[in-house]
Amino acid sequence: MRAAPLAVTALAAALLLTGCSGDGDSSGGDSAAASPSNGTTCRIGAMDVEVGPANVAPAAGDTGNIPVTLTNQSAECTLDGFAGIDLNGADSSASVSPAADAKSTKVTLAKGTAATFTLTYTRGKAGDKGSLDVKTLAIGLAGADTQKSFKWSYGPVQGKADNAGDPTASVGAFTQAGD
């Protein structure tokens, strides 16, 4: 009857991991980031994040691409799923969905190695009710409830069917950066 000890061990591990979840601090602080007992899920607080340089959409209706590079500054970890992206305006915000053709991949990062993903958006008309006047970009990782925020300088984002709360934007899959 080895099943009972294995079940107890698995339950204890799950409870330990649950106790180490992030604190919801939107400043990018992730108190769980430095603890190796968190398992292998990457935490945004343990990453150096570089946003851009971007291929900016110059006018309303044009498409822009913003590469984001995450460099692991902690123990080996794994990115799984897609980055969580929120576009925040002065009085509203919207979440960005994965690109329709993107396939989620697992990327393992040793300390000092990097992964990238691309945020694609359609520029909206300034002052238009169907556009979100974005002020900040918030980035989070699957498995954690914390985000890091960055200034947005790429213009308003067009909403689907003129709904500013449903941005014409998407996030791509993680890919290993470098060699």
Side-chain angles (χ1 to χ4, degrees):
M1 304 282 337
R2 295 176 56 89
L6 289 175
V8 170
T9 302
L11 178 60
L15 290 172
L16 178 63
L17 289 173
T18 302
C20 293
S21 66
D23 59 5
D25 178 12
S26 65
S27 68
D30 192 342
S31 60
S35 173
S37 66
N38 288 334
T40 61
T41 300
C42 292
R43 303 288 182 195
I44 195 76
M47 299 282 170
D48 280 341
V49 182
E50 181 181 348
V51 178
N55 170 16
V56 178
D62 291 341
T63 300
N65 297 297
I66 306 165
V68 177
T69 303
L70 306 166
T71 304
N72 184 18
Q73 298 301 314
S74 189
E76 182 176 284
C77 64
T78 302
L79 295 168
D80 192 9
F82 293 90
I85 302 294
D86 290 327
L87 302 175
N88 301 307
D91 57 357
S92 62
S93 65
S95 295
V96 177
S97 298
D101 60 347
K103 293 186 177 159
S104 173
T105 58
K106 283 188 181 184
V107 176
T108 300
L109 298 176
K111 183 175 181 175
T113 61
T116 64
F117 67 89
T118 301
L119 172 63
T120 302
Y121 72 100
T122 300
R123 186 167 183 147
K125 292 180 184 176
D128 188 73
K129 69 177 177 100
S131 296
L132 179 60
D133 186 19
V134 180
K135 303 294 184 196
T136 60
L137 162 70
I139 302 170
L141 301 176
D145 59 356
T146 58
Q147 297 179 315
K148 281 189 177 181
S149 292
F150 301 88
K151 182 178 177 180
W152 179 271
S153 58
Y154 311 113
V157 175
Q158 180 63 44
K160 295 176 188 167
D162 288 331
N163 177 2
D166 187 13
T168 304
S170 62
V171 60
F174 293 113
T175 59
Q176 192 83 35
D179 306 318

